[in-house]
Amino acid sequence: MPIRYDADLARFEAACTVEDALPLAEWLEATVAPRIDLSACTDLHTALLQLLLAARPVLAAGPADAFLARWAGAVLRVE
């Protein structure tokens, strides 16, 4: 699974697709202070980005991928 969930941290790994949207939405809703780690993410579906923009979780680690860092990392708040 491209997204691994810990208590309050979701780690995005490799290509994260639209199939990950529902589990992410459920986790974001159930987690009091969610944090995300995009450091290993290589591709992020826009449905996931929309969820992150709506929920505004703390960005614990930004994307290493230059494109994602420029476009997705720039709009998410950093811890």
Side-chain angles (χ1 to χ4, degrees):
M1 180 173 239
I3 303 176
R4 291 185 304 141
Y5 300 98
D6 295 329
D8 68 339
L9 180 67
R11 299 177 200 280
F12 289 62
E13 300 173 345
C16 300
T17 66
V18 69
E19 286 82 14
D20 301 305
L22 183 57
L24 177 61
E26 293 170 344
W27 180 82
L28 287 168
E29 186 175 347
T31 305
V32 176
R35 298 179 309 125
I36 59 168
D37 177 347
L38 296 176
S39 61
C41 185
T42 58
D43 190 25
L44 185 67
H45 193 278
T46 55
L48 301 176
L49 181 58
Q50 289 173 20
L51 285 170
L52 296 176
L53 289 172
R56 299 308 248 172
V58 171
L59 183 60
D65 179 83
F67 181 82
L68 284 178
R70 181 173 178 170
W71 298 106
V75 296
L76 300 170
R77 45 180 197 141
V78 177
E79 184 175 77

